[in-house]
Amino acid sequence: MLARVGIFDSGVGGLTVAAALHRHQPSLEIRYVADTAFFPYGSREPEEIAERSIAVVATLVEAGMNAIVVACNTATSAALERLREVFNVPIVGMEPPLKPAVEHSRSGAVVVLATPGTVRGDRLARLQERHAGGARVWNIPMPGLADLVEAGEIEGPRVEGMLREALAGPIAEGADAVALGCTHYGWLRPLLERILPPGVELVDAAEAVARRTLYVLDQAGHHIDMRAPAREVLCYATGDAASLEQTVERLRAAGADLPPLRVAKPVG
Ligand code: DGL
């Protein structure tokens, strides 16, 4: 069966994963839902995020998507198990890349930047128990940062100020790896690379999740027609489609490496 991948996030963050998937397999059919009507997930209760996630994934499965990527750390934390109970298609989740950050670190001190919801969630605590080893870990909630990215603000004094303030302490104490625990923050990579001192590694999970998704598709027997022409990612917003389009334009204008995409009429 031909692979058709549904990806969702609360907004434009998961497009970092769509971009990585598209780079690997430009002809892969990707449908993307930005649940902008419920953005931000990061300040909502897990139960509500789980309900939203189920509703969004239902639209993607009904539209014929045969694998799902939860391209949102907050939704993975709140809903991955529930989604796997409810739906009979492979579902790939996304966690802060703590393990690779610890592996990259020479000092044994790492930072995880994430939404308040992800920082509060049991999932991150379990991840830390399993993978931190003896490393010192700062899990830093960044309320409001995804909101700025969602408005297309990925450069400038506000975002730069928030990041500098969050990172100054841990870096002064020797942290040398920063894990991006929210897909929105992937769009801040150029800014982060500019402000992080040399020798501090930036670790993003989007690429690993894209590779995992391709593996899962293969295991499920879904193939990709590699001779087919490159496809646009078809994007839906549960909120205002025009405002998603505007954000996409702002991100592009600020240099974000978005995949080719088209914003379609709202769903849900
Ligand atoms: N992009 C989402 C994540 O990876 C969160 C953004 C939000 O708060 O909605 O956690």
Side-chain angles (χ1 to χ4, degrees):
M1 201 191 295
L2 213 55
R4 305 179 76 198
V5 178
I7 304 182
F8 85 97
D9 178 36
S10 56
V12 294
L15 286 171
T16 52
V17 177
L21 258 180
H22 180 85
R23 271 196 300 276
H24 281 281
Q25 294 292 350
S27 63
L28 174 63
E29 179 174 347
I30 302 174
R31 199 173 280 223
Y32 186 90
V33 176
D35 191 14
T36 50
F38 282 78
F39 179 89
Y41 281 179
S43 55
R44 292 184 186 276
E45 291 304 316
E47 190 47 41
E48 188 182 15
I49 300 170
E51 273 170 30
R52 277 313 298 168
S53 301
I54 290 169
V56 169
V57 171
T59 65
L60 287 166
V61 171
E62 275 158 29
M65 301 303 111
N66 48 29
I68 299 294
V69 183
V70 185
C72 174
N73 297 262
T74 314
T76 298
S77 173
L80 188 67
E81 283 80 14
R82 287 275 300 282
L83 289 170
R84 286 184 172 152
E85 278 162 24
V86 174
F87 298 99
N88 197 17
V89 296
I91 300 184
V92 178
M94 171 134 206
E95 290 183 321
L98 174 64
K99 185 169 180 241
V102 169
E103 285 163 3
H104 279 295
S105 172
R106 290 167 314 274
S107 66
V110 306
V111 177
V112 176
L113 299 177
T115 66
T118 300
V119 170
R120 271 197 313 270
D122 298 340
R123 213 180 168 93
L124 184 57
R126 289 205 301 272
L127 193 69
Q128 192 164 335
E129 265 164 38
R130 280 203 315 276
H131 298 300
R136 181 166 180 202
V137 182
W138 286 263
N139 292 315
I140 306 185
M142 299 294 296
L145 184 58
D147 302 61
L148 294 177
V149 174
E150 189 62 27
E153 194 171 324
I154 55 173
E155 279 288 348
R158 280 205 291 191
V159 272
E160 184 168 338
M162 280 172 88
L163 290 169
R164 281 190 187 279
E165 195 187 326
L167 294 169
I171 286 174
E173 291 190 50
D176 66 353
V178 176
L180 300 183
C182 167
T183 49
H184 279 75
Y185 307 165
W187 297 124
L188 298 166
R189 175 179 273 278
L191 169 62
L192 277 160
E193 281 173 346
R194 194 158 50 68
I195 66 177
L196 287 174
V200 177
E201 192 92 26
L202 193 58
V203 191
D204 182 359
E207 178 60 34
V209 170
R211 272 187 270 114
R212 168 94 194 135
T213 304
L214 294 174
Y215 173 79
V216 164
L217 288 172
D218 186 58
Q219 292 297 298
H222 302 324
H223 72 278
I224 300 165
D225 181 359
M226 293 188 213
R227 289 156 314 170
R231 281 174 179 273
E232 289 178 319
V233 175
L234 188 55
C235 294
Y236 295 86
T238 57
D240 183 27
S243 104
L244 178 64
E245 248 167 350
Q246 260 173 26
T247 302
V248 163
E249 272 163 33
R250 282 197 200 116
L251 288 173
R252 276 202 208 285
D257 192 13
L258 287 155
L261 62 84
R262 181 160 59 84
V263 177
K265 288 276 166 266
V267 290

